[in-house]
Amino acid sequence: MTELADPDVRAVSPARSRYQSDEFVARLRRRYAAEQRFKYAGMAAIGLASLMLVVLLGSIISQGYTAFQQTSIALDITFDAAEIDPQGTRNPEVLAQANYAKLIRDSLGTVFPEATSRADRRTLSDLLSSGAPFELAMMVRDDPSLVGTTKRVWLTASDDVDQFMKGFIPRNVAETERRVNDVQVAAIDRLASKDSIEKSFNTTLFTAGDSREPELAGIWGAIVGSFMTLAITMALAVPIGVSAAIYLEEFAPKRWWTDLIEVNINNLAAVPSIVFGLLGLAVFLNFFGMPRSAPVVGGVVLALMTLPIIIIATRAALKAVPPSIREAALGIGASPLQTVLHHVLPLAMPGILTGTIIGMAHALGETAPLLMIGMVAFIVDIPGGFTDSATVLPVQIYMWADSPERAFTERTSAAIMILLGFLVLMNGLAVFLRKKFERRW
Amino acid sequence: MKTTTLALTAAAVAALTIGAAGVANAQSRDQIRAVGSSTVFPFTTAVAEAFGKTGKFKTPVVESTGTGGGLKLFCGGVGPQHPDIANASRRIKKSEVDQCAANGVAEITELKIGFDGIVMASSKAAKHYDFTRAQVWKALAKEVPVNGKMVANPYKKWSDVDPSLPNYDIEVLGPPPTSGTRDAFNELMMEGGCHQVKEVAAILTDEKARSKACLSIREDGAYVEAGENDNLIVQKLGANPEAFGVFGYSFLDQNKDKLQAAKVDTVVPSYELISSGKYPVSRSLYVYVKNAHVGVIPGIRELIGEYTSERAMGEEGYLADKGLIALPKADRDAARVSAVNLSPLKL
């Protein structure tokens, strides 16, 4: 190629040099064509990968964006003092025990006076979530002065009404083929004509724990569980992994046993994650008697899983620090430990952080090892400590995907979006840290 | 850089302390734990949630481990590290009761909570067809009798099995062998259908060989194991109108606008007909309670009281909304009595 770059080669024409023989021109064309083909193949590969990503994201987003809205129904609720607090004590326990479902039924009765049969009244009550009475109880608990007044209140609608409002339950099919019957459709239309039914931002999705009722289900419990699990994973895997890598890379003599350890670490990084779950079950639950479903056990198991990733990334980062740095430090009298802690480790930090964050992101998306230690479970309460029962984000996605209620389909996709959001955030942080602290020699 | 070392040490110490705290914590438990069948899971979780909302106890933790796996955990022993309740989509076996007893779980209360129907359904886009169990068996068995001999299943299309059936390739999406739904499908649909085919009994006189032939499902792609996720089967049926899916009644109930259920032996899988026992492919669902934990782990008595209440398992209870098919009145009363008396199971 250098001959070509030389302008003199062309300048010798019209006398045809040996570089411009027909064979040469044909060879050159072939080489250029091969290069072009490779370029197109590469572009096609990237195009295909991007297309897959677009399809994946597109299907998740198009299925899930509706979950960020939830239908609610406005009712004029009379907080009847005789019903809620007959003695007038305003005792919180009495207030909590009152029959709020009856207040809702009474209010519905005034909106739909024609519904007199028990069956009709029952179908009308089904318009609202089974959590609606608890919403009223919460309101009264927070503001006992409501008792004795009438107030227009927005209450969460049931999942079937919500799906109907979002158009996922078709209107123009036979009554027996949809989960919203004709009485309910008429009622929804009446409420809509009075602006008493509307979709608003679904805060429950972000603040509640799991529930069997899609309209009451949220992922906050899973987010807290994921956070606690990852906190344990990080507290264990980072110090142990980084120390192990430093020793192996900087201090350990090159012997057959260090090679053996190295092979084993590389091997462990490729072990299927379910194996770590089985280990967790056998060692932490059965032998040490630690609690089932607890983030502390999940964190330890995931730490074992991420350790090899962190060790490998840290060793690579340490290897990338030029030997001249170490020699200079040793040359001016630093001890080997000082050399590592004062010079090599800080310079390797961006690489270590990147490896750690990618390891953590890996742990955040893991479900298989948690299956064996009981973190794949229905847990309503938000975990309050490392030993409380908890679940994690990917498990929550799996459990919702498996639920029969159709409203969980969109919530599954919404939860996937939230998990992807966290992963993008973590990987973005890794890129940012690398860019910010990267040193080039 | 001393701070780095300090921080590393501190983090390691913190982690170990938390670990030690975990060990200490396992000694007692104030939250009920249930394990077991994925079919009963939606019902037990609904009860657990309603129970937790009363505010007196923590919401129980329910794991979906499959019936067999759940009973194994349940029978592991007595003590806070073992679950209190097991969900089962079949009755507990003698061997499992013995296993329980060997581990000190002597007294178990059995609560029958309701029925589940196993339906065969296809997309609404397809033509409607009905089956007999014998036809389903012939279409799905590994070996079928032809001219007085058992041969590898030659049928490619439903119309090969019986001319009245559709001219579709046989493609049935169903649960894998690990699933309790598959156990029930094998027992009720396949075995039931096999007994309707008289030639089988004539060819295979040996009891064992016959039972094996009855329960073997063909492996040439006509029966597709679609995983434990029934939603996936429902979605695949939408994409492939010629296929039939096998799943629990609650998924049919939720997708009535997309799916049509085939009649089995001329009975349509409706709530009423499954409840009355007329639909042939239905099974009972059970909940097992460890008596030794009652009074030790708080709330067990109240939880099973909630489970057996009319508000939950009654004909108009919230479990019916979740797809559970209610027991007849007498059986519900019986379950309520066992929940109060904790009468130990005797097999």
Side-chain angles (χ1 to χ4, degrees):
Chain A
M1 296 293 273
T2 46
E3 295 93 330
L4 266 183
D6 188 357
D8 293 345
V9 174
R10 281 166 201 273
V12 291
S13 79
R16 292 164 64 98
S17 83
R18 64 190 175 98
Y19 296 116
Q20 280 167 318
S21 67
D22 288 340
E23 291 82 5
F24 171 79
V25 172
R27 272 200 308 275
L28 188 63
R29 201 177 296 127
R30 272 208 305 280
R31 270 158 59 192
Y32 277 159
E35 196 163 322
Q36 280 296 323
R37 278 200 303 276
F38 181 74
K39 214 164 91 187
Y40 289 137
M43 277 156 70
I46 289 186
L48 198 67
S50 325
L51 185 75
M52 291 295 182
L53 187 69
V54 167
V55 168
L56 175 76
L57 287 181
S59 81
I60 290 171
I61 292 172
S62 65
Q63 273 183 43
Y65 76 97
T66 47
F68 294 105
Q69 286 206 314
Q70 165 67 37
T71 308
S72 30
I73 294 173
L75 287 177
D76 293 312
I77 298 283
T78 308
F79 292 93
D80 188 358
E83 182 64 48
I84 300 176
D85 188 13
Q87 266 93 44
T89 55
R90 297 290 186 271
N91 180 341
E93 254 176 49
V94 176
L95 294 182
Q97 294 289 315
N99 186 357
Y100 292 97
K102 183 168 184 304
L103 300 185
I104 294 176
R105 274 202 303 276
D106 291 349
S107 169
L108 282 166
T110 55
V111 183
F112 304 102
E114 73 280 6
T116 46
S117 75
R118 198 170 165 274
D120 277 0
R121 290 184 61 124
R122 204 183 131 78
T123 42
L124 286 177
S125 300
D126 286 345
L127 288 175
L128 288 155
S129 162
S130 63
F134 293 96
E135 291 173 21
L136 287 181
M138 290 296 163
M139 276 179 215
V140 172
R141 190 192 65 190
D142 295 341
D143 180 13
S145 66
L146 276 174
V147 178
T149 62
T150 299
K151 195 182 167 206
R152 191 173 146 93
V153 191
W154 285 96
L155 295 166
T156 307
S158 76
D159 54 329
D160 289 333
V161 172
D162 186 48
Q163 294 296 294
F164 181 79
M165 289 294 288
K166 287 171 179 168
F168 295 132
I169 295 180
R171 178 187 286 262
N172 46 8
V173 296
E175 187 181 10
T176 51
E177 289 176 11
R178 50 180 145 82
R179 285 185 59 82
V180 181
N181 65 26
D182 286 347
V183 176
Q184 288 172 320
V185 171
I188 291 170
D189 288 342
R190 178 106 60 87
L191 287 168
S193 70
K194 291 198 292 183
D195 288 331
S196 293
I197 186 163
E198 66 167 37
K199 286 181 279 186
S200 54
F201 183 69
N202 188 357
T203 47
T204 315
L205 184 64
F206 294 94
T207 54
D210 196 7
S211 170
R212 287 293 306 144
E213 305 297 331
E215 71 274 15
L216 302 177
I219 52 159
W220 183 240
I223 291 178
V224 172
S226 268
F227 177 78
M228 287 179 168
T229 309
L230 283 190
I232 298 277
T233 305
M234 205 152 102
L236 281 174
V238 173
I240 297 177
V242 172
S243 324
I246 290 176
Y247 178 75
L248 283 176
E249 194 58 37
E250 303 286 334
F251 296 100
K254 263 259 172 248
R255 297 276 158 71
W256 63 269
W257 57 268
T258 42
D259 287 343
L260 190 72
I261 289 176
E262 180 159 357
V263 167
N264 272 303
I265 289 173
N266 291 342
N267 234 340
L268 272 184
V271 162
S273 53
I274 186 83
V275 174
F276 292 100
L278 286 166
L279 177 86
L281 175 70
V283 175
F284 301 115
L285 295 192
N286 293 347
F287 187 74
F288 287 116
M290 286 161 96
R292 253 183 108 78
S293 315
V296 60
V297 184
V300 175
V301 168
L302 291 180
L304 291 177
M305 196 193 76
T306 16
L307 256 181
I309 301 176
I310 293 183
I311 293 179
I312 291 170
T314 306
R315 291 189 68 177
L318 291 172
K319 235 180 229 149
V321 176
S324 55
I325 303 275
R326 296 183 186 83
E327 283 155 13
L330 291 170
I332 56 167
S335 74
L337 184 66
Q338 284 172 326
T339 306
V340 168
L341 291 185
H342 295 187
H343 301 281
V344 180
L345 192 59
L347 288 171
M349 224 30 164
I352 296 175
L353 283 176
T354 310
T356 306
I357 292 172
I358 289 170
M360 288 292 137
H362 185 169
L364 175 64
E366 201 52 75
T367 52
L370 303 179
L371 186 74
M372 305 310 297
I373 54 165
M375 285 185 88
V376 180
F378 175 74
I379 292 158
V380 174
D381 300 333
I382 312 283
F386 290 100
T387 53
D388 283 1
S389 296
T391 185
V392 294
L393 269 171
V395 169
Q396 191 66 75
I397 292 168
Y398 166 73
M399 306 244 308
W400 283 357
D402 217 13
S403 300
E405 289 83 4
R406 200 180 289 174
F408 272 123
T409 315
E410 55 174 26
R411 278 166 176 75
T412 307
S413 295
I416 294 173
M417 278 192 257
I418 293 165
L419 178 66
L420 282 179
F422 277 108
L423 289 174
V424 167
L425 219 66
M426 288 174 80
N427 289 324
L429 187 70
V431 172
F432 170 77
L433 288 173
R434 195 168 60 226
K435 283 262 172 325
K436 190 161 160 56
F437 296 109
E438 198 170 36
R439 287 278 288 272
R440 286 187 184 281
W441 290 282
Chain B
M1 275 300 121
K2 241 181 197 147
T3 43
T4 321
T5 337
L6 273 177
L8 293 184
T9 330
V13 170
L16 287 177
T17 327
I18 292 159
V23 177
N25 198 60
Q27 306 311 317
S28 66
R29 176 154 61 83
D30 59 355
Q31 198 169 23
I32 299 172
R33 302 200 65 105
V35 293
S37 160
S38 57
T39 311
V40 188
F41 178 81
F43 311 127
T44 302
T45 48
V47 172
E49 194 177 348
F51 170 77
K53 275 194 183 140
T54 58
K56 289 189 207 100
F57 302 97
K58 280 191 173 178
T59 309
V61 172
V62 189
E63 274 183 66
S64 163
T65 58
T67 301
L71 284 170
K72 203 173 153 201
L73 285 169
F74 179 78
C75 289
V78 173
Q81 68 273 33
H82 301 289
D84 315 308
I85 288 173
N87 301 319
S89 58
R90 56 166 169 77
R91 205 154 186 237
I92 192 168
K93 290 179 193 157
K94 181 82 176 70
S95 58
E96 287 161 337
V97 174
D98 294 344
Q99 178 70 30
C100 262
N103 288 326
V105 186
E107 294 199 336
I108 307 168
T109 302
E110 178 183 75
L111 302 173
K112 194 169 164 185
I113 57 152
F115 297 116
D116 178 38
I118 294 168
V119 300
M120 272 190 77
S122 60
S123 158
K124 270 260 155 74
K127 260 182 93 176
H128 183 88
Y129 282 99
D130 298 323
F131 299 105
T132 65
R133 281 185 286 170
Q135 287 166 343
V136 174
W137 181 79
K138 276 189 186 166
L140 293 181
K142 198 169 183 182
E143 293 189 327
V144 289
V146 174
N147 300 331
K149 268 206 299 278
M150 295 298 279
V151 295
N153 198 327
Y155 305 125
K156 292 271 177 275
K157 289 173 179 292
W158 286 103
S159 49
D160 299 342
V161 176
D162 191 311
S164 71
L165 290 175
N167 187 22
Y168 295 165
D169 285 339
I170 297 172
E171 186 179 358
V172 175
L173 308 168
T178 46
S179 156
T181 311
R182 171 73 169 269
D183 288 344
F185 179 76
N186 276 351
E187 186 184 325
L188 299 163
M189 186 78 93
M190 297 299 284
E191 202 167 0
C194 184
H195 290 315
Q196 290 178 359
V197 182
K198 295 280 178 294
E199 297 97 305
V200 180
I203 299 166
L204 297 168
T205 42
D206 177 37
E207 184 91 29
K208 261 201 186 133
R210 189 166 68 230
S211 142
K212 187 162 173 277
C214 282
L215 291 178
S216 300
I217 287 186
R218 64 199 287 188
E219 287 156 359
D220 57 358
Y223 182 88
V224 184
E225 282 172 10
E228 294 267 10
N229 189 331
D230 290 358
N231 270 329
L232 208 65
I233 300 183
V234 172
Q235 280 174 19
K236 282 182 181 163
L237 290 180
N240 181 3
E242 296 197 352
F244 287 87
V246 173
F247 41 81
Y249 172 78
S250 49
F251 284 84
L252 175 70
D253 188 42
Q254 288 281 341
N255 294 290
K256 280 187 283 196
D257 57 329
K258 289 186 187 161
L259 300 177
Q260 54 181 346
K263 287 183 192 167
V264 176
D265 292 355
T266 74
V267 184
V268 66
S270 71
Y271 186 95
E272 291 74 22
L273 292 172
I274 300 173
S275 177
S276 63
K278 292 208 175 71
Y279 183 69
V281 200
S282 77
R283 57 180 159 166
S284 306
L285 304 178
Y286 298 90
V287 162
Y288 293 95
V289 183
K290 204 178 278 179
N291 287 7
H293 282 193
V294 177
V296 181
I297 309 288
I300 295 183
R301 205 176 263 283
E302 290 80 355
L303 177 71
I304 58 177
E306 170 78 30
Y307 215 137
T308 51
S309 70
E310 204 62 8
R311 175 172 72 236
M313 71 192 292
E315 273 159 16
E316 296 196 334
Y318 56 79
L319 293 182
D321 286 343
K322 294 275 160 213
L324 180 74
I325 290 157
L327 298 170
K329 181 93 177 65
D331 288 4
R332 294 205 298 274
D333 290 341
R336 209 158 298 139
V337 169
S338 344
V340 173
N341 297 343
L342 296 171
S343 22
L345 167 79
K346 285 190 192 73
L347 279 186

XYZ file of all heavy atoms in Angstrom, chain A residues 8 21 139 164 174 177 378 393:
66
model
N 4.499 9.775 -6.696
C 5.411 9.583 -7.820
C 5.049 8.370 -8.660
O 5.305 8.329 -9.857
C 6.855 9.421 -7.319
C 7.326 10.731 -6.710
O 6.634 11.745 -6.969
O 8.303 10.717 -5.968
N 0.260 -2.743 -13.965
C -0.090 -3.819 -14.892
C -1.537 -4.228 -14.662
O -2.107 -3.958 -13.598
C 0.821 -5.027 -14.666
O 0.533 -5.568 -13.384
N -57.391 7.348 54.963
C -57.774 8.758 54.979
C -58.283 9.161 56.353
O -57.897 10.205 56.885
C -58.889 8.996 53.961
C -58.394 9.208 52.555
S -59.827 9.449 51.485
C -59.234 8.657 50.029
N -60.343 -2.352 30.989
C -61.420 -1.951 30.091
C -61.194 -0.513 29.628
O -61.298 -0.194 28.441
C -62.762 -2.090 30.814
C -63.946 -1.718 29.967
C -64.445 -2.607 29.022
C -64.560 -0.487 30.109
C -65.527 -2.270 28.232
C -65.642 -0.145 29.325
C -66.131 -1.036 28.384
N -69.537 -10.525 23.041
C -70.631 -11.001 23.885
C -70.267 -10.835 25.360
O -69.096 -10.920 25.738
C -70.916 -12.460 23.580
N -67.997 -13.143 27.231
C -66.611 -13.269 26.805
C -65.711 -12.177 27.355
O -64.552 -12.080 26.984
C -66.532 -13.259 25.274
C -67.088 -14.537 24.688
C -67.111 -14.503 23.184
O -66.519 -13.588 22.605
O -67.745 -15.397 22.609
N -43.862 -14.871 47.370
C -44.836 -13.786 47.433
C -44.647 -13.068 48.760
O -44.911 -13.638 49.817
C -46.240 -14.360 47.324
C -47.327 -13.343 47.501
C -47.601 -12.433 46.505
C -48.065 -13.304 48.670
C -48.604 -11.496 46.667
C -49.068 -12.366 48.834
C -49.344 -11.471 47.837
N -35.897 -7.405 42.251
C -36.577 -6.944 41.034
C -36.797 -8.027 39.976
O -37.926 -8.225 39.532
C -35.791 -5.780 40.430
C -36.217 -4.386 40.895
C -35.225 -3.359 40.398
C -37.613 -4.069 40.383
